[in-house]
Amino acid sequence: MSTDDTLRTVTEIAVAETGLPAAELTPDADLRAMAGVDSVRVLRMIARIERTYDIELEDEDVFGTATLAQVAVVVDRALRDAA
Amino acid sequence: MTVTADTNQHYDLDPEIFGQFLDPLRKYSSALYDNDGDSLELAQRNKLRFVARRLGIQGGERLLDIGCGWGSLILFMAQEYGCDTLGISPAPRQHDYIAAQAQARGVERQVHTRVGHFERLELPAGSFDAVTMLGSIVHMPDLGEVFRRARTVLRRGGTLYVSESCFRNAAARRAFDERAGTEFVRSDIFGWGDLRPLSDLVTAAEDAGFTITSVDDLTDHYRRTIEDWIANVDAAADAIDGRQPGLAAKLRHYLEVANAGWGYTTKHYALGCRKAR
């Protein structure tokens, strides 16, 4: 799966968890700086991403990623590692 | 004498508010789901039987429940196992509720409560077969003193069951103890609480002289319990807000914060101990 596909799925999950419009959830927007996106929303989003892909992200990825583009990269890496 | 506690701002709310989202026993801690289809009520009964198994309860034991809440455990152990029970809680409103429930269930001679803090109450040494603390040690500042006193009131061979939400490890505690979500739950909901890693609880139990007999990870069960509570809060939002405007949203936020952290920052463990060399 390409990063584009992953980014699209991750963004869909972010839209579902935050309720924000997809237009605001650009790949490089800092999630934690966005109105209505607190750490609770981010953790719920991560949990849903992990369930969707059946992967477990590393702690430094869970707490260290700030943008959806970064999340997509660590998801791809986890998928490669699991393959 | 008026007994007050920091935690009373939450636990001494109108009992009917808790009746709106907890199970009929009003057990305010993790349930235990044996099957996918288990209701919250059944899962809470499963959990109380699990506690009895971990304690080695056979029937008729003398049991002390520290932080007894609305009495779900002492009422259950009196009814189902014929135990002679004493519950301690600093929230005065809970005691009238428990007395009425004990009367209604015909176990008023086996169910007793005292208002106060376990750390300060006079209790005879060696007088209990079992001691329980379900989600209450988080509100007690001196872990060492709590385990030492629990050991003192137990007879030789007596058992202790402690279940608690814990930081996943010491590093998670350092990273998250001061964050907004943690602070919201501690200050806005409870008044005071100190989440620790399991290793701190084990150390305190060992230092007090206990033998550790079991450790269970109940995290997934607590996640599902809280999902059931959130559904109940949503269904009863109007009734909850009718008693205290804005409380339904506050409760929901607290429960969502708790559920978002499971596995990432927090775990829910049950620790079994025995007073034995």
Side-chain angles (χ1 to χ4, degrees):
Chain A
M1 185 182 279
S2 76
T3 300
D4 280 352
D5 285 339
T6 311
L7 184 59
R8 194 157 44 240
T9 304
V10 163
T11 304
E12 281 167 14
I13 290 171
V15 168
E17 281 298 337
T18 64
L20 292 172
E24 283 187 37
L25 289 163
T26 56
D28 296 320
D30 185 343
L31 286 174
R32 288 172 171 81
M34 301 181 76
V37 186
D38 55 14
S39 56
V40 172
R41 296 280 161 209
V42 172
L43 282 186
R44 285 164 59 103
M45 194 184 84
I46 296 289
R48 197 145 151 180
I49 289 167
E50 289 185 333
R51 279 200 306 275
T52 300
Y53 288 101
D54 193 22
I55 53 172
E56 190 163 322
L57 299 176
E58 296 299 327
D59 281 3
E60 58 257 39
D61 296 332
V62 171
F63 298 113
T65 46
T67 69
L68 291 177
Q70 289 170 343
V71 172
V73 168
V74 300
V75 167
D76 274 337
R77 194 171 64 215
L79 287 170
R80 272 199 309 277
D81 290 348
Chain B
M1 189 181 76
T2 307
V3 178
T4 58
D6 295 336
T7 49
N8 282 0
Q9 69 183 48
H10 186 62
Y11 295 118
D12 214 20
L13 289 170
D14 182 343
E16 292 309 314
I17 289 171
F18 296 94
Q20 297 288 343
F21 71 98
L22 302 179
D23 69 298
L25 277 170
R26 295 192 187 178
K27 184 172 169 303
Y28 200 10
S29 54
S30 180
L32 199 150
Y33 296 81
D34 284 336
N35 297 294
D36 285 349
D38 285 359
S39 66
L40 175 65
E41 180 178 5
L42 176 60
Q44 289 294 16
R45 290 179 166 275
N46 293 341
K47 173 68 179 307
L48 290 165
R49 287 189 202 287
F50 167 81
V51 174
R53 280 200 303 278
R54 284 288 178 266
L55 288 168
I57 297 285
Q58 302 290 316
E61 284 86 352
R62 295 157 301 165
L63 185 143
L64 171 69
D65 187 27
I66 302 165
C68 63
W70 287 273
S72 57
L73 186 137
I74 52 177
L75 290 162
F76 185 89
M77 296 300 175
Q79 264 191 299
E80 300 286 323
Y81 296 91
C83 290
D84 187 24
T85 64
L86 175 64
I88 298 173
S89 159
R93 270 177 142 162
Q94 296 176 333
H95 297 262
D96 297 337
Y97 175 81
I98 294 168
Q101 287 290 315
Q103 193 86 36
R105 292 158 194 260
V107 288
E108 66 272 19
R109 281 191 303 179
Q110 294 152 263
V111 174
H112 307 276
T113 62
R114 283 171 70 178
V115 181
H117 289 78
F118 171 60
E119 299 98 311
R120 294 176 217 151
L121 285 177
E122 288 285 330
L123 294 163
S127 58
F128 292 97
D129 300 298
V131 173
T132 49
M133 285 184 265
L134 277 69
S136 55
I137 211 165
V138 71
H139 302 302
M140 298 185 226
D142 190 342
L143 274 189
E145 175 67 8
V146 170
F147 277 98
R148 274 192 301 277
R149 285 185 67 104
R151 191 168 184 279
T152 299
V153 301
L154 278 171
R155 67 162 168 85
R156 184 189 284 213
T159 50
L160 168 69
Y161 175 96
V162 178
S163 57
E164 196 52 76
S165 298
C166 299
F167 274 120
R168 203 181 67 188
N169 54 32
R173 180 186 193 164
R174 283 193 297 277
F176 288 92
D177 209 19
E178 304 304 326
R179 293 228 184 154
T182 314
E183 197 52 41
F184 165 78
V185 173
R186 179 162 42 214
S187 303
D188 290 20
I189 298 289
F190 288 111
W192 196 87
D194 190 8
L195 224 62
R196 295 120 168 160
L198 173 67
S199 45
D200 279 17
L201 300 186
V202 170
T203 299
E206 286 179 337
D207 287 350
F210 278 109
T211 295
I212 309 292
T213 52
S214 63
V215 176
D216 292 282
D217 177 7
L218 300 176
T219 307
D220 288 339
H221 294 281
Y222 215 164
R223 182 185 290 112
R224 190 164 157 193
T225 305
I226 291 178
E227 282 171 4
D228 280 349
W229 288 343
I230 289 173
N232 290 345
V233 167
D234 286 350
D238 290 346
I240 292 169
D241 284 341
R243 292 186 179 268
Q244 188 174 314
L247 184 62
K250 200 166 157 177
L251 271 175
R252 191 179 214 291
H253 183 51
Y254 156 52
L255 297 171
E256 283 194 336
V257 169
N259 256 11
W262 293 129
Y264 297 104
T265 57
T266 49
K267 297 286 294 181
H268 191 77
Y269 288 113
L271 184 65
C273 307
R274 182 180 293 276
K275 181 174 175 176
R277 288 217 165 76

